[in-house]
Amino acid sequence: MAKVKTTFFCQNCGSQYAKWQGQCNACKAWNTIVEEVVQKTEKNDWKTSTSTTKKATIPLQIKDIDLTKEPRLNTLDTEFNRVLGGGIVPGSLTLLGGEPGIGKSTLLLQISLKLPYRTLYVSGEESQKQIKMRAERINQNQSNCYILTETKTQNIFKQIETLEPDIVIIDSIQTLHSDYIESSSGSISQIKECTSELIKFAKETATPVLLIGHITKDGHIAGPKILEHMVDTVLQFEGDRNHVFRILRANKNRFGSTNELGIYEMQGSGLREVSNPSEVLISKKDEELSGNAIAATLEGMRPLMIEVQALVSTAVYGTPQRSATGFNAKRLNMLLAVLEKRAGFRLGAKDVFLNITGGITVDDPAIDLAVVAAILSSNEDAAIQKDYCFAAELGLSGEIRPIQRVEQRILEAEKLGFSTIFVSKYNKISLKKLSIKVQLISKIEDLTDFLI
């Protein structure tokens, strides 16, 4: 009888050790190293007929590689296409992570039902009848979608060889297991082995594979960190399960930008694409309230109008509080120091609370002016006109600094019906015949003259 071969893996980072030890040398985590069985049998690679093999087996000069035969695959989902950079790249591996119940399976099932390509949806967590119930709730009938409930990769590849799908969706990578590794499903070695087999299949046949991944309590994708390095794209599906809106971001994308943002609304019939994010990020109110300001920001190539809310009140305790949600707290402290030093506002003894509505996090410095305007409005208890918006960065000396792609922000504000936008005087603007007034300011005192 052959001796069983075991080794030790760190469950946090995936580092391998010959024997057990208390602390991982790579990630410095304690008590994360466990023993796993890694006895391998001799591999028989999955067989692919020559008709489905699309990748050349000989080296080619880069100038001789032809891209015209393999354009991106359109998912017919505008938000998903935007985050991916224009569609699914043939032969790519995309990993989608998110909290339990956030809608990962619903999103990919909805996309698979829309796709005009032959799609194989492999589920290791639900039965075919359960998936059928969700598909009927989504109310999209598509004959190109095939459902397979299987967890062994060898059986999956046999069905792939028979069906020859254009796209493969795996739900989820943590449920798969391979006969070549004797450890349990979800272990470090199983995840690495199953992902390696899927990468080999995707690259040799130019068939894109979409994976769903579980996350840990810390918000990271479960399994070794190397999993995120192996795949081409890592998407994060986030949002509060108590609210209806979901945000899709790209943490890694070899074929596009990681700054793009996709917004969905969870409904009883599935996920609805939100083409106009301002309906999510700007609250509807009948009367003007102090402490609210609208900022024109950008996420990738997409202009967004977001609402900034501030509350300034007298500190109850000796040390004033500084709290920011969706905004960098250190930058908030810097802006408060500029207001106190350059504009003469005494905020050192007051509590300041800042919130970016819609549950998103913004790191664009162009919202500095809106943050300052909201703070001043709350401090003076004077409402800002609801058709005003702001797009500029604030410097330490109190100057209003220019920002990038200001014309795109102005056009978005004009489209949404704003009457005035405040921008830096040093921005070069060549737009003509605008229905929106562009108010140019050069220092923080100019802003206070308009608002107070």
Side-chain angles (χ1 to χ4, degrees), residues 82-296:
R82 176 185 290 111
V83 175
L84 288 179
I88 302 176
V89 175
S92 65
L93 245 76
T94 301
L95 177 63
L96 174 66
E99 293 183 355
I102 204 69
K104 303 183 297 296
S105 300
T106 302
L107 175 63
L108 289 192
L109 178 61
Q110 184 171 307
I111 289 175
S112 65
L113 294 174
K114 283 183 182 179
L115 286 170
Y117 312 101
R118 180 175 294 183
T119 307
L120 178 62
Y121 187 97
V122 182
S123 176
E125 299 181 345
E126 296 177 291
S127 67
Q128 292 175 324
K129 291 184 178 180
Q130 289 174 322
I131 298 173
K132 172 65 174 177
M133 290 170 60
R134 178 183 290 140
E136 289 184 345
R137 178 169 58 84
I138 294 174
N139 196 21
Q140 292 190 20
N141 296 319
Q142 178 59 260
S143 58
N144 290 326
C145 181
Y146 295 81
I147 307 298
L148 173 65
T149 55
E150 181 61 63
T151 57
K152 187 155 78 168
T153 57
Q154 284 70 34
N155 294 341
I156 293 173
F157 287 132
K158 286 180 182 178
Q159 299 300 324
I160 288 176
E161 187 178 358
T162 302
L163 186 62
E164 296 182 4
D166 297 315
I167 296 178
V168 176
I169 297 174
I170 306 292
D171 182 11
S172 63
I173 185 63
Q174 280 81 11
T175 62
L176 297 190
H177 67 91
S178 172
D179 284 342
Y180 306 137
I181 301 291
E182 295 185 7
S183 55
S184 60
S185 300
S187 62
I188 300 288
S189 50
Q190 280 287 6
I191 291 176
K192 289 169 65 176
E193 177 65 25
C194 294
T195 306
S196 298
E197 293 179 13
L198 290 168
I199 288 176
K200 185 173 178 10
F201 157 73
K203 303 305 178 186
E204 289 189 2
T205 64
T207 302
V209 178
L210 279 69
L211 308 175
I212 290 178
H214 299 165
I215 66 169
T216 63
K217 61 181 180 181
D218 298 326
H220 304 295
I221 303 239
K225 193 68 176 177
I226 194 175
L227 174 62
E228 298 181 42
H229 291 287
M230 294 169 72
V231 300
D232 298 309
T233 305
V234 178
L235 303 179
Q236 190 74 19
F237 204 40
E238 55 193 40
D240 191 341
R241 282 183 293 172
N242 298 320
H243 294 80
V244 296
F245 295 106
R246 305 285 188 267
I247 296 174
L248 183 67
R249 296 180 185 270
N251 294 339
K252 169 189 175 182
N253 192 354
R254 288 176 178 162
F255 312 113
S257 171
T258 57
N259 295 324
E260 296 295 345
L261 187 76
I263 301 179
Y264 294 88
E265 181 184 4
M266 177 63 81
Q267 298 179 337
S269 58
L271 291 160
R272 181 183 73 87
E273 303 169 41
V274 179
S275 57
N276 181 16
S278 298
E279 66 180 273
V280 182
L281 305 176
I282 298 179
S283 60
K284 312 293 190 298
K285 50 185 180 291
D286 297 329
E287 58 184 22
E288 296 179 353
L289 302 174
S290 64
N292 290 350
I294 307 299

Side-chain angles (χ1 to χ4, degrees), residues 262-405:
I263 301 179
Y264 294 88
E265 181 184 4
M266 177 63 81
Q267 298 179 337
S269 58
L271 291 160
R272 181 183 73 87
E273 303 169 41
V274 179
S275 57
N276 181 16
S278 298
E279 66 180 273
V280 182
L281 305 176
I282 298 179
S283 60
K284 312 293 190 298
K285 50 185 180 291
D286 297 329
E287 58 184 22
E288 296 179 353
L289 302 174
S290 64
N292 290 350
I294 307 299
T297 183
L298 289 174
E299 282 284 348
M301 298 296 294
R302 181 184 216 176
L304 299 177
M305 307 301 293
I306 62 173
E307 183 176 353
V308 180
Q309 296 179 334
L311 176 62
V312 180
S313 61
T314 304
V316 178
Y317 303 103
T319 303
Q321 300 182 63
R322 303 283 187 263
S323 177
T325 303
F327 189 73
N328 191 326
K330 291 183 178 179
R331 192 166 187 88
L332 172 61
N333 291 330
M334 184 197 77
L335 296 177
L336 293 174
V338 172
L339 281 175
E340 186 148 353
K341 176 73 174 179
R342 304 297 179 185
F345 289 91
R346 302 303 175 198
L347 301 172
K350 295 186 177 181
D351 293 336
V352 179
F353 302 94
L354 189 74
N355 177 46
I356 306 295
T357 61
I360 70 169
T361 300
V362 181
D363 55 4
D364 184 6
I367 74 168
D368 285 355
L369 198 61
V371 170
V372 169
I375 293 172
L376 293 178
S377 171
S378 178
N379 185 57
E380 300 296 324
D381 199 19
I384 300 173
Q385 292 191 35
K386 60 183 180 181
D387 54 357
Y388 281 8
C389 61
F390 306 86
E393 181 183 355
L394 184 63
L396 288 178
S397 60
E399 81 276 14
I400 307 300
R401 297 176 54 82
I403 55 174
Q404 296 181 347
R405 290 158 51 193

Side-chain angles (χ1 to χ4, degrees), residues 419-430:
S419 65
T420 305
I421 182 170
F422 291 81
V423 300
S424 173
K425 173 178 149 178
Y426 307 106
N427 267 118
K428 295 181 180 179
I429 302 173
S430 59

